[in-house]
Amino acid sequence: MSTLRFIVDNFSEVMYLSWEHIWIVGIALLIATPIGVVLGIVITKYEQFSSRVLNGANILMTVPSLALFGLMLPVLAIFNMGLGKVPAVIALVLYSQLPIIRNTYTAIKNVPPALVDAGRGMGMSKWKLLRELEIPLAIPVIIAGLRTAAVMNIGVAAIATYIGAGGLGVYIQQGIARVYPEMILSGALLVSLLAIIVDGGMALLERIATPEGIRIQRKLSR
Amino acid sequence: MNRLFTKLYRIIIAVIILIAGVTFERTGLIKLLSDPYEYPVIMELFLQHLYMVTLSMLFATILGVTAGILLTRHRFRRYAGVCMYIIGLGQTIPSLAVLALAMSFLGIGMKPAVFALTIYSILPIARNTLAGITAVPPELIDAGKGMGMPPMRILMEVELPNAMKVILTGFRVALIINIGTAALAYVIGAGGLGDLIFTGISLMQTDKLLAGAIPVTLLALFADFLSELLGLSLISRGLRLSD
Protein backbone atom coordinates (compact mmCIF):
# COMPACT_ATOMS: atom_id res chain seq x y z
CA MET A 1 0.00 0.00 0.00
CA SER A 2 2.82 2.36 0.91
CA THR A 3 4.36 1.47 -2.44
CA LEU A 4 1.25 2.69 -4.19
CA ARG A 5 1.46 5.87 -2.13
CA PHE A 6 5.03 6.35 -3.24
CA ILE A 7 4.04 6.03 -6.88
CA VAL A 8 1.14 8.45 -6.50
CA ASP A 9 3.25 10.97 -4.58
CA ASN A 10 6.01 10.93 -7.19
CA PHE A 11 3.75 10.54 -10.16
CA SER A 12 5.43 13.09 -12.42
CA GLU A 13 8.86 11.57 -11.75
CA VAL A 14 7.48 8.10 -12.37
CA MET A 15 6.11 9.23 -15.71
CA TYR A 16 9.41 10.87 -16.63
CA LEU A 17 11.47 7.78 -15.76
CA SER A 18 9.03 5.49 -17.60
CA TRP A 19 9.28 7.74 -20.62
CA GLU A 20 13.08 7.64 -20.41
CA HIS A 21 12.98 3.84 -20.19
CA ILE A 22 10.65 3.54 -23.17
CA TRP A 23 12.76 6.03 -25.09
CA ILE A 24 15.97 4.02 -24.64
CA VAL A 25 14.29 0.75 -25.61
CA GLY A 26 12.42 2.37 -28.51
CA ILE A 27 15.49 4.02 -30.04
CA ALA A 28 17.43 0.77 -29.71
CA LEU A 29 14.68 -1.19 -31.44
CA LEU A 30 14.39 1.46 -34.14
CA ILE A 31 18.09 1.05 -34.91
CA ALA A 32 18.18 -2.72 -34.43
CA THR A 33 15.17 -3.61 -36.57
CA PRO A 34 16.49 -2.50 -39.99
CA ILE A 35 19.91 -4.03 -39.29
CA GLY A 36 18.46 -7.33 -38.08
CA VAL A 37 15.80 -7.66 -40.76
CA VAL A 38 18.22 -6.85 -43.58
CA LEU A 39 20.80 -9.28 -42.20
CA GLY A 40 18.10 -11.92 -41.82
CA ILE A 41 16.95 -11.48 -45.41
CA VAL A 42 20.52 -11.42 -46.73
CA ILE A 43 21.38 -14.73 -45.08
CA THR A 44 18.34 -16.41 -46.63
CA LYS A 45 19.73 -15.45 -50.04
CA TYR A 46 23.37 -16.18 -49.22
CA GLU A 47 22.91 -19.39 -47.31
CA GLN A 48 26.64 -19.95 -46.74
CA PHE A 49 26.79 -17.08 -44.20
CA SER A 50 23.69 -18.09 -42.28
CA SER A 51 25.35 -20.27 -39.63
CA ARG A 52 28.14 -17.74 -39.11
CA VAL A 53 25.81 -14.78 -38.65
CA LEU A 54 23.46 -16.71 -36.37
CA ASN A 55 26.37 -18.05 -34.33
CA GLY A 56 27.81 -14.56 -34.00
CA ALA A 57 24.48 -13.19 -32.80
CA ASN A 58 24.20 -16.12 -30.42
CA ILE A 59 27.60 -15.35 -28.89
CA LEU A 60 26.58 -11.70 -28.44
CA MET A 61 23.48 -12.87 -26.61
CA THR A 62 25.57 -15.09 -24.33
CA VAL A 63 27.63 -12.17 -23.01
CA PRO A 64 26.02 -11.04 -19.72
CA SER A 65 24.62 -7.51 -19.94
CA LEU A 66 26.62 -6.06 -17.07
CA ALA A 67 29.82 -7.55 -18.49
CA LEU A 68 28.98 -6.09 -21.90
CA PHE A 69 28.62 -2.63 -20.36
CA GLY A 70 31.93 -3.20 -18.63
CA LEU A 71 33.69 -4.35 -21.78
CA MET A 72 32.34 -1.44 -23.82
CA LEU A 73 33.20 1.20 -21.26
CA PRO A 74 36.97 1.44 -21.86
CA VAL A 75 36.45 1.37 -25.64
CA LEU A 76 33.73 4.03 -25.66
CA ALA A 77 35.58 6.07 -23.07
CA ILE A 78 38.02 6.98 -25.85
CA PHE A 79 35.18 8.93 -27.50
CA ASN A 80 34.09 10.21 -24.09
CA MET A 81 30.87 8.19 -24.28
CA GLY A 82 31.59 5.37 -21.82
CA LEU A 83 28.68 6.24 -19.53
CA GLY A 84 25.16 7.37 -20.22
CA LYS A 85 22.58 6.48 -22.82
CA VAL A 86 24.92 5.76 -25.75
CA PRO A 87 26.47 2.51 -24.42
CA ALA A 88 23.03 1.43 -23.19
CA VAL A 89 21.50 1.84 -26.63
CA ILE A 90 24.46 0.09 -28.29
CA ALA A 91 24.12 -2.88 -25.91
CA LEU A 92 20.38 -3.10 -26.52
CA VAL A 93 20.92 -3.00 -30.30
CA LEU A 94 23.45 -5.83 -30.03
CA TYR A 95 21.16 -7.94 -27.85
CA SER A 96 18.20 -7.44 -30.19
CA GLN A 97 20.07 -8.89 -33.15
CA LEU A 98 19.63 -12.59 -32.33
CA PRO A 99 15.83 -12.68 -31.98
CA ILE A 100 15.29 -10.39 -34.96
CA ILE A 101 17.74 -12.10 -37.32
CA ARG A 102 16.68 -15.60 -36.29
CA ASN A 103 12.98 -14.90 -36.67
CA THR A 104 13.39 -13.13 -40.02
CA TYR A 105 15.51 -15.99 -41.30
CA THR A 106 13.19 -18.79 -40.20
CA ALA A 107 10.08 -16.89 -41.31
CA ILE A 108 11.36 -16.36 -44.84
CA LYS A 109 12.69 -19.92 -44.98
CA ASN A 110 9.27 -21.20 -43.96
CA VAL A 111 7.34 -19.45 -46.74
CA PRO A 112 5.78 -22.41 -48.59
CA PRO A 113 7.75 -23.10 -51.78
CA ALA A 114 4.48 -23.55 -53.65
CA LEU A 115 3.66 -19.86 -53.05
CA VAL A 116 7.09 -18.74 -54.23
CA ASP A 117 6.61 -20.87 -57.34
CA ALA A 118 3.19 -19.33 -57.92
CA GLY A 119 4.71 -15.86 -57.65
CA ARG A 120 7.46 -16.75 -60.05
CA GLY A 121 4.88 -18.18 -62.43
CA MET A 122 3.09 -14.83 -62.37
CA GLY A 123 6.30 -13.25 -63.58
CA MET A 124 7.35 -11.54 -60.36
CA SER A 125 10.94 -10.41 -60.19
CA LYS A 126 13.10 -11.53 -57.27
CA TRP A 127 12.70 -8.12 -55.62
CA LYS A 128 8.96 -8.08 -56.14
CA LEU A 129 8.72 -11.62 -54.81
CA LEU A 130 10.47 -10.51 -51.65
CA ARG A 131 8.41 -7.36 -51.23
CA GLU A 132 4.97 -8.67 -52.07
CA LEU A 133 5.13 -12.28 -50.99
CA GLU A 134 7.91 -13.24 -48.63
CA ILE A 135 7.99 -10.19 -46.35
CA PRO A 136 4.20 -9.90 -45.85
CA LEU A 137 4.04 -13.59 -44.96
CA ALA A 138 7.03 -13.27 -42.62
CA ILE A 139 5.90 -10.09 -40.84
CA PRO A 140 4.05 -11.76 -37.93
CA VAL A 141 7.07 -13.91 -37.10
CA ILE A 142 9.40 -10.92 -37.41
CA ILE A 143 7.18 -9.00 -35.00
CA ALA A 144 7.34 -11.99 -32.63
CA GLY A 145 11.12 -11.56 -32.72
CA LEU A 146 10.76 -7.85 -32.00
CA ARG A 147 8.52 -8.76 -29.09
CA THR A 148 11.18 -11.02 -27.57
CA ALA A 149 13.78 -8.33 -28.14
CA ALA A 150 11.63 -5.58 -26.62
CA VAL A 151 10.83 -7.52 -23.45
CA MET A 152 14.46 -8.50 -22.97
CA ASN A 153 15.60 -4.95 -23.64
CA ILE A 154 13.34 -3.55 -20.95
CA GLY A 155 15.14 -5.80 -18.47
CA VAL A 156 18.58 -4.85 -19.75
CA ALA A 157 17.67 -1.14 -19.77
CA ALA A 158 16.87 -1.45 -16.05
CA ILE A 159 20.45 -2.64 -15.49
CA ALA A 160 21.79 0.18 -17.67
CA THR A 161 20.85 2.55 -14.84
CA TYR A 162 24.18 1.61 -13.27
CA ILE A 163 26.06 3.14 -16.19
CA GLY A 164 24.01 6.30 -15.92
CA ALA A 165 21.39 5.70 -18.59
CA GLY A 166 18.44 6.60 -16.35
CA GLY A 167 15.08 4.90 -16.72
CA LEU A 168 13.01 3.07 -14.14
CA GLY A 169 16.07 1.19 -12.88
CA VAL A 170 16.91 4.43 -11.07
CA TYR A 171 14.28 3.59 -8.44
CA ILE A 172 15.78 0.14 -7.89
CA GLN A 173 19.32 1.52 -7.70
CA GLN A 174 18.46 4.47 -5.44
CA GLY A 175 16.13 2.36 -3.35
CA ILE A 176 18.81 -0.22 -2.65
CA ALA A 177 21.37 2.48 -1.92
CA ARG A 178 19.05 4.31 0.48
CA VAL A 179 17.43 1.17 1.98
CA TYR A 180 14.04 2.52 0.97
CA PRO A 181 11.83 -0.54 0.38
CA GLU A 182 8.91 1.41 -1.13
CA MET A 183 11.21 2.87 -3.74
CA ILE A 184 12.72 -0.55 -4.61
CA LEU A 185 9.30 -2.15 -4.81
CA SER A 186 7.84 0.57 -6.98
CA GLY A 187 10.87 0.38 -9.29
CA ALA A 188 10.65 -3.39 -9.59
CA LEU A 189 6.88 -3.35 -10.05
CA LEU A 190 6.92 -0.58 -12.65
CA VAL A 191 9.66 -2.25 -14.71
CA SER A 192 7.82 -5.58 -14.60
CA LEU A 193 4.55 -3.86 -15.46
CA LEU A 194 6.19 -2.09 -18.39
CA ALA A 195 7.57 -5.41 -19.68
CA ILE A 196 4.21 -7.13 -19.36
CA ILE A 197 2.36 -4.26 -21.08
CA VAL A 198 4.85 -4.13 -23.95
CA ASP A 199 4.64 -7.92 -24.27
CA GLY A 200 0.86 -7.74 -24.52
CA GLY A 201 0.94 -4.79 -26.93
CA MET A 202 3.38 -6.54 -29.23
CA ALA A 203 1.25 -9.71 -29.12
CA LEU A 204 -1.67 -7.60 -30.30
CA LEU A 205 0.45 -6.07 -33.06
CA GLU A 206 1.48 -9.57 -34.09
CA ARG A 207 -2.14 -10.51 -34.52
CA ILE A 208 -3.00 -7.34 -36.46
CA ALA A 209 -0.02 -7.77 -38.77
CA THR A 210 -1.01 -11.30 -39.77
CA PRO A 211 -2.45 -11.11 -43.29
CA GLU A 212 -6.19 -11.75 -43.33
CA GLY A 213 -5.91 -14.79 -45.59
CA ILE A 214 -3.60 -16.57 -43.17
CA ARG A 215 -5.87 -15.75 -40.24
CA ILE A 216 -8.85 -17.31 -42.02
CA GLN A 217 -6.76 -20.31 -43.01
CA ARG A 218 -5.68 -20.82 -39.41
CA LYS A 219 -9.24 -20.58 -38.16
CA LEU A 220 -10.38 -23.16 -40.68
CA SER A 221 -7.60 -25.59 -39.88
CA ARG A 222 -8.42 -25.46 -36.20
CA MET B 1 35.85 -17.33 -51.93
CA ASN B 2 35.20 -19.23 -48.74
CA ARG B 3 38.90 -19.74 -48.09
CA LEU B 4 39.42 -16.05 -48.54
CA PHE B 5 36.86 -15.38 -45.83
CA THR B 6 38.47 -17.89 -43.50
CA LYS B 7 41.76 -16.05 -43.87
CA LEU B 8 40.02 -12.70 -43.33
CA TYR B 9 38.47 -14.08 -40.15
CA ARG B 10 41.89 -15.14 -38.91
CA ILE B 11 43.25 -11.65 -39.49
CA ILE B 12 40.30 -10.06 -37.70
CA ILE B 13 40.70 -12.39 -34.71
CA ALA B 14 44.43 -11.67 -34.58
CA VAL B 15 43.74 -7.91 -34.62
CA ILE B 16 41.16 -8.25 -31.86
CA ILE B 17 43.61 -10.21 -29.70
CA LEU B 18 46.27 -7.59 -30.35
CA ILE B 19 43.98 -4.70 -29.41
CA ALA B 20 42.81 -6.61 -26.33
CA GLY B 21 46.41 -7.20 -25.28
CA VAL B 22 47.32 -3.53 -25.66
CA THR B 23 44.20 -2.49 -23.76
CA PHE B 24 44.98 -4.88 -20.90
CA GLU B 25 48.52 -3.55 -20.64
CA ARG B 26 47.47 0.08 -20.85
CA THR B 27 44.66 -0.21 -18.32
CA GLY B 28 46.94 -2.02 -15.91
CA LEU B 29 44.86 -5.20 -15.86
CA ILE B 30 47.94 -7.41 -16.08
CA LYS B 31 49.52 -5.55 -13.18
CA LEU B 32 46.33 -5.95 -11.17
CA LEU B 33 46.16 -9.67 -11.83
CA SER B 34 49.78 -10.23 -10.83
CA ASP B 35 49.43 -8.14 -7.68
CA PRO B 36 49.83 -10.59 -4.76
CA TYR B 37 47.25 -8.67 -2.70
CA GLU B 38 44.63 -8.25 -5.40
CA TYR B 39 44.82 -11.68 -6.97
CA PRO B 40 43.34 -13.66 -4.02
CA VAL B 41 40.48 -11.15 -3.77
CA ILE B 42 39.56 -11.63 -7.41
CA MET B 43 39.84 -15.40 -7.01
CA GLU B 44 37.58 -15.33 -3.97
CA LEU B 45 34.97 -13.25 -5.80
CA PHE B 46 35.14 -15.65 -8.72
CA LEU B 47 34.56 -18.62 -6.42
CA GLN B 48 31.67 -16.75 -4.76
CA HIS B 49 30.14 -16.21 -8.18
CA LEU B 50 30.59 -19.88 -9.07
CA TYR B 51 29.11 -20.96 -5.76
CA MET B 52 26.01 -18.82 -6.25
CA VAL B 53 25.48 -20.07 -9.79
CA THR B 54 26.07 -23.73 -8.94
CA LEU B 55 23.83 -23.74 -5.89
CA SER B 56 20.95 -21.94 -7.54
CA MET B 57 21.20 -24.01 -10.73
CA LEU B 58 21.19 -27.20 -8.66
CA PHE B 59 17.97 -26.18 -6.90
CA ALA B 60 16.44 -24.81 -10.07
CA THR B 61 17.15 -27.92 -12.11
CA ILE B 62 15.70 -30.27 -9.50
CA LEU B 63 12.63 -28.10 -8.88
CA GLY B 64 12.11 -27.13 -12.53
CA VAL B 65 12.34 -30.64 -13.94
CA THR B 66 10.13 -32.01 -11.15
CA ALA B 67 7.54 -29.28 -11.76
CA GLY B 68 7.67 -29.91 -15.51
CA ILE B 69 7.21 -33.67 -15.06
CA LEU B 70 4.39 -33.25 -12.54
CA LEU B 71 2.52 -30.91 -14.89
CA THR B 72 2.53 -33.52 -17.64
CA ARG B 73 1.13 -36.26 -15.36
CA HIS B 74 -2.48 -37.14 -15.87
CA ARG B 75 -3.65 -35.71 -12.57
CA PHE B 76 -2.13 -32.23 -13.00
CA ARG B 77 -2.34 -31.91 -16.75
CA ARG B 78 -5.31 -29.55 -16.68
CA TYR B 79 -3.23 -26.98 -14.78
CA ALA B 80 -0.48 -27.05 -17.42
CA GLY B 81 -1.98 -24.23 -19.50
CA VAL B 82 -2.36 -21.92 -16.52
CA CYS B 83 1.15 -22.70 -15.31
CA MET B 84 2.63 -22.05 -18.76
CA TYR B 85 0.91 -18.68 -18.76
CA ILE B 86 2.24 -17.79 -15.31
CA ILE B 87 5.75 -18.91 -16.32
CA GLY B 88 5.56 -16.77 -19.46
CA LEU B 89 4.49 -13.79 -17.38
CA GLY B 90 7.27 -14.45 -14.89
CA GLN B 91 9.87 -14.51 -17.63
CA THR B 92 8.95 -11.01 -18.74
CA ILE B 93 9.89 -9.69 -15.28
CA PRO B 94 13.43 -8.24 -15.51
CA SER B 95 16.18 -9.95 -13.55
CA LEU B 96 17.13 -6.82 -11.62
CA ALA B 97 13.52 -6.50 -10.47
CA VAL B 98 13.49 -10.10 -9.24
CA LEU B 99 16.69 -9.48 -7.26
CA ALA B 100 15.31 -6.24 -5.83
CA LEU B 101 12.08 -7.92 -4.83
CA ALA B 102 13.96 -10.78 -3.15
CA MET B 103 16.02 -8.24 -1.27
CA SER B 104 13.04 -6.24 -0.06
CA PHE B 105 11.50 -9.40 1.43
CA LEU B 106 14.55 -11.38 2.56
CA GLY B 107 17.12 -8.70 3.28
CA ILE B 108 20.66 -8.50 1.94
CA GLY B 109 23.34 -11.12 1.44
CA MET B 110 23.88 -14.41 -0.29
CA LYS B 111 20.59 -16.08 0.72
CA PRO B 112 18.16 -13.75 -1.09
CA ALA B 113 20.49 -13.76 -4.11
CA VAL B 114 20.48 -17.55 -4.35
CA PHE B 115 16.74 -17.53 -3.79
CA ALA B 116 16.13 -15.00 -6.58
CA LEU B 117 18.48 -16.81 -8.97
CA THR B 118 16.74 -20.11 -8.24
CA ILE B 119 13.28 -18.70 -8.85
CA TYR B 120 14.39 -16.98 -12.04
CA SER B 121 16.14 -20.12 -13.38
CA ILE B 122 13.24 -22.46 -12.64
CA LEU B 123 11.08 -20.75 -15.26
CA PRO B 124 12.94 -21.73 -18.48
CA ILE B 125 13.73 -25.22 -17.16
CA ALA B 126 10.14 -25.98 -16.12
CA ARG B 127 8.80 -24.50 -19.33
CA ASN B 128 11.08 -26.57 -21.55
CA THR B 129 10.54 -29.77 -19.55
CA LEU B 130 6.81 -29.31 -19.96
CA ALA B 131 7.10 -28.50 -23.67
CA GLY B 132 9.59 -31.31 -24.31
CA ILE B 133 7.54 -34.04 -22.66
CA THR B 134 4.32 -32.81 -24.28
CA ALA B 135 6.01 -33.00 -27.68
CA VAL B 136 7.01 -36.68 -27.30
CA PRO B 137 5.13 -38.56 -30.06
CA PRO B 138 2.16 -40.44 -28.54
CA GLU B 139 3.04 -43.51 -30.62
CA LEU B 140 6.22 -43.92 -28.61
CA ILE B 141 4.34 -43.81 -25.31
CA ASP B 142 1.79 -46.26 -26.72
CA ALA B 143 4.60 -48.55 -27.78
CA GLY B 144 5.99 -48.39 -24.25
CA LYS B 145 2.58 -49.21 -22.82
CA GLY B 146 2.23 -52.09 -25.25
CA MET B 147 5.53 -53.48 -24.03
CA GLY B 148 4.04 -53.53 -20.54
CA MET B 149 6.07 -50.71 -19.06
CA PRO B 150 4.76 -49.18 -15.82
CA PRO B 151 4.28 -45.36 -15.94
CA MET B 152 7.54 -44.74 -14.07
CA ARG B 153 9.53 -46.68 -16.64
CA ILE B 154 7.73 -44.94 -19.51
CA LEU B 155 8.78 -41.65 -17.95
CA MET B 156 12.40 -42.66 -17.40
CA GLU B 157 12.97 -44.63 -20.60
CA VAL B 158 10.66 -43.07 -23.17
CA GLU B 159 9.53 -39.57 -22.22
CA LEU B 160 12.63 -38.09 -20.59
CA PRO B 161 15.20 -39.32 -23.16
CA ASN B 162 13.03 -38.05 -26.00
CA ALA B 163 12.47 -34.69 -24.32
CA MET B 164 16.12 -34.34 -23.26
CA LYS B 165 17.12 -32.04 -26.11
CA VAL B 166 14.43 -29.49 -25.29
CA ILE B 167 15.09 -29.77 -21.55
CA LEU B 168 18.78 -29.11 -22.12
CA THR B 169 17.98 -26.02 -24.20
CA GLY B 170 16.03 -24.72 -21.22
CA PHE B 171 18.92 -25.58 -18.92
CA ARG B 172 21.35 -23.71 -21.18
CA VAL B 173 19.18 -20.59 -21.28
CA ALA B 174 18.71 -20.72 -17.52
CA LEU B 175 22.42 -21.18 -16.87
CA ILE B 176 23.48 -18.26 -19.07
CA ILE B 177 20.84 -15.93 -17.63
CA ASN B 178 21.85 -17.11 -14.18
CA ILE B 179 25.53 -16.23 -14.68
CA GLY B 180 24.58 -12.76 -15.92
CA THR B 181 22.13 -12.18 -13.09
CA ALA B 182 24.62 -13.41 -10.48
CA ALA B 183 26.84 -10.51 -11.56
CA LEU B 184 24.02 -8.19 -10.50
CA ALA B 185 23.71 -9.90 -7.12
CA TYR B 186 26.42 -7.58 -5.84
CA VAL B 187 23.87 -4.80 -5.50
CA ILE B 188 21.97 -6.83 -2.90
CA GLY B 189 25.18 -7.60 -1.07
CA ALA B 190 25.95 -11.10 -2.29
CA GLY B 191 29.43 -10.45 -3.67
CA GLY B 192 30.53 -12.26 -6.79
CA LEU B 193 32.33 -10.84 -9.80
CA GLY B 194 29.77 -8.05 -10.03
CA ASP B 195 31.66 -6.50 -7.13
CA LEU B 196 34.61 -5.75 -9.41
CA ILE B 197 32.43 -4.50 -12.27
CA PHE B 198 30.33 -2.14 -10.15
CA THR B 199 33.34 -0.85 -8.26
CA GLY B 200 35.16 -0.38 -11.54
CA ILE B 201 32.28 1.59 -13.02
CA SER B 202 31.79 3.87 -10.04
CA LEU B 203 35.52 4.57 -9.59
CA MET B 204 36.20 4.59 -13.36
CA GLN B 205 38.94 2.05 -12.68
CA THR B 206 39.21 0.19 -15.95
CA ASP B 207 41.53 -2.54 -14.70
CA LYS B 208 39.09 -3.59 -11.98
CA LEU B 209 36.20 -3.33 -14.38
CA LEU B 210 37.85 -5.65 -16.90
CA ALA B 211 39.01 -8.03 -14.16
CA GLY B 212 35.31 -8.54 -13.42
CA ALA B 213 33.77 -8.28 -16.88
CA ILE B 214 36.14 -10.64 -18.69
CA PRO B 215 35.76 -13.63 -16.31
CA VAL B 216 31.96 -13.23 -16.30
CA THR B 217 31.91 -13.24 -20.11
CA LEU B 218 34.23 -16.23 -20.28
CA LEU B 219 32.15 -18.03 -17.66
CA ALA B 220 29.01 -17.51 -19.75
CA LEU B 221 30.71 -18.66 -22.95
CA PHE B 222 32.13 -21.67 -21.13
CA ALA B 223 28.67 -22.50 -19.76
CA ASP B 224 27.35 -22.40 -23.31
CA PHE B 225 30.06 -24.85 -24.35
CA LEU B 226 29.42 -27.02 -21.30
CA SER B 227 25.71 -27.36 -22.11
CA GLU B 228 26.65 -28.36 -25.64
CA LEU B 229 28.93 -31.03 -24.15
CA LEU B 230 26.20 -32.16 -21.78
CA GLY B 231 23.95 -32.61 -24.80
CA LEU B 232 26.49 -34.99 -26.36
CA SER B 233 26.46 -37.22 -23.30
CA LEU B 234 22.77 -37.01 -22.32
CA ILE B 235 20.94 -37.08 -25.66
CA SER B 236 20.86 -40.61 -27.01
CA ARG B 237 22.88 -41.20 -30.15
CA GLY B 238 19.94 -42.23 -32.28
CA LEU B 239 18.11 -38.97 -31.62
CA ARG B 240 21.20 -36.94 -32.40
CA LEU B 241 21.63 -38.74 -35.71
CA SER B 242 18.04 -38.10 -36.73
CA ASP B 243 18.59 -34.33 -36.62
Side-chain angles (χ1 to χ4, degrees), chain B:
Chain B
M1 196 63 179
N2 231 337
R3 273 193 45 204
L4 203 71
F5 271 110
T6 320
K7 288 211 168 124
L8 195 67
Y9 266 114
R10 274 189 207 145
I11 295 173
I12 292 171
I13 288 171
V15 169
I16 290 175
I17 292 175
L18 194 75
I19 293 175
V22 172
T23 320
F24 295 167
E25 182 55 43
R26 276 195 52 194
T27 53
L29 180 65
I30 294 169
K31 219 160 121 198
L32 181 80
L33 285 181
S34 50
D35 190 327
Y37 295 104
E38 291 285 354
Y39 174 73
V41 176
I42 294 170
M43 209 54 211
E44 198 196 320
L45 290 174
F46 181 75
L47 288 179
Q48 240 171 25
H49 201 104
L50 218 57
Y51 174 76
M52 255 190 293
V53 171
T54 318
L55 202 63
S56 58
M57 276 311 283
L58 198 70
F59 291 147
T61 311
I62 294 170
L63 291 173
V65 173
T66 314
I69 290 173
L70 277 181
L71 284 174
T72 53
R73 295 309 94 186
H74 191 66
R75 197 186 300 174
F76 300 104
R77 198 167 291 163
R78 59 197 146 150
Y79 305 118
V82 180
C83 283
M84 268 303 225
Y85 181 73
I86 293 173
I87 289 172
L89 215 58
Q91 272 181 323
T92 58
I93 298 174
S95 49
L96 187 63
V98 175
L99 278 174
L101 287 174
M103 180 192 134
S104 50
F105 292 120
L106 295 173
I108 57 170
M110 194 75 122
K111 260 187 217 156
V114 171
F115 178 76
L117 290 176
T118 307
I119 295 285
Y120 207 53
S121 305
I122 285 177
L123 303 178
I125 295 177
R127 180 187 206 136
N128 278 38
T129 309
L130 184 56
I133 293 182
T134 316
V136 173
E139 307 90 271
L140 293 181
I141 297 172
D142 270 354
K145 266 186 206 149
M147 282 163 72
M149 285 184 177
M152 197 61 195
R153 262 190 80 190
I154 292 184
L155 174 70
M156 296 310 272
E157 291 180 20
V158 181
E159 289 178 309
L160 279 184
N162 275 295
M164 197 45 98
K165 188 166 177 245
V166 185
I167 297 176
L168 276 178
T169 311
F171 177 80
R172 178 179 158 270
V173 170
L175 182 57
I176 288 169
I177 293 177
N178 195 316
I179 290 172
T181 310
L184 296 173
Y186 163 73
V187 300
I188 62 168
L193 286 166
D195 191 329
L196 294 167
I197 304 179
F198 281 111
T199 317
I201 289 176
S202 41
L203 298 180
M204 269 312 250
Q205 238 180 327
T206 319
D207 51 349
K208 245 190 188 152
L209 179 62
L210 289 178
I214 291 171
V216 172
T217 311
L218 288 181
L219 203 61
L221 293 177
F222 180 70
D224 193 24
F225 169 75
L226 201 72
S227 350
E228 202 73 17
L229 214 66
L230 212 60
L232 282 186
S233 58
L234 284 181
I235 301 171
S236 77
R237 205 155 156 261
L239 284 174
R240 258 185 288 139
L241 283 178
S242 69
D243 274 344

Side-chain angles (χ1 to χ4, degrees), chain A residues 140 143-148 150-151 195-210 218, chain B residues 85:
Chain A
I143 291 183
L146 282 178
R147 179 181 167 192
T148 317
V151 169
I196 290 169
I197 290 172
V198 167
D199 189 49
M202 294 291 261
L204 204 68
L205 200 65
E206 212 176 303
R207 199 174 299 164
I208 293 169
T210 312
R218 254 185 224 156
Chain B
Y85 181 73

